[in-house]
Amino acid sequence: MARIVGALTCSHVPAIGSAIAKGLQQDPYWKPFFDGFVPVREWLARVRPEVAVIVYNDHGLNFFLDKMPTFALGAASDYGNADEGWGIPTVPAFRGDPALSWHLIEALVRDEFDLTTCQEMVVDHAFTLPMALCWPDQQWPVRTVPVCVNTVQVPLPSAARCYRLGEAIGRAIAAWPGDERVVVLGSGGLSHQLDGERAGFINREFDQQFMSSLVQDPTWATRFGTTELVELAGTQGVELLNWLVARGTLPKAVRQIHANYHIPISNTASGLMLLEPIG
Ligand code: DHB
Ligand code: FE
């Protein structure tokens, strides 16, 4: 039986890719952000996961507004990155794990999550940045399974539905006959809004309550509708739905290994959490 060794959730601002390309990790603006990942990398070196299930939202690289699946799962043998228009260097392709992907797809559809299955898929900054922060040498020691959630175009899946998707992914991984160590990455948030009258909106109090809820009371955020979550966290802050999927893969009882919260990175409140299952 495969085992989820932990869930790691973090923000995914494209400017991070530009800072990596320019080697700005020690720059005063960036240092409090990049330093947050030092304990994460120590943990990864100790736990050595073999597979990463990455829960993220695509921003128009693979899916566009004309065809927007609520939930999509990659089943390719590799996933490329591509220029999203900023000229940030692309990163080496990621190895997939088609057998595990199909196992997850079959288990999730059986569990009544009607997914879009993708045998070809390019992955954007929401996938590549958490990977590059975890493994800065970009040698990617893990096979990957992309789980893509629509946090972009209404109607969005509810927080409760996202949490239940995570629970179903957790059950499906536990039922996989392999003995892999699996890390689940949740990418996005925390509060930010990039456009409209509230551009620049950040809600520290909500973010911090949300982060502590993931340890103490993981379904706390499921009381909010998606419009309420947009009000509380911003139009793009609703990417926190990806954190809820990742959290749902773990049992109720978790241990917080590490957390960091830093405002701002670009227009975003940057959050980072590493949780391990207890028992
Ligand atoms: C920013 C944040 C995002 O989540 C994103 O996808 C793009 C840009 C930002 O703060 O600049
Ligand atoms: Fe985003």
Side-chain angles (χ1 to χ4, degrees), residues 12-14 59 125 192 194 239 265-268:
H12 64 220
V13 179
H59 299 71
H125 67 277
H192 62 299
L194 301 179
E239 292 173 345
I265 286 299
S266 185
N267 299 295
T268 296

Side-chain angles (χ1 to χ4, degrees), residues 111-130:
D111 246 340
E112 302 180 354
F113 288 91
D114 303 318
L115 305 165
T116 297
T117 56
C118 303
Q119 301 192 48
E120 287 181 355
M121 198 174 194
V122 280
V123 291
D124 76 0
H125 67 277
F127 182 108
T128 64
L129 290 174

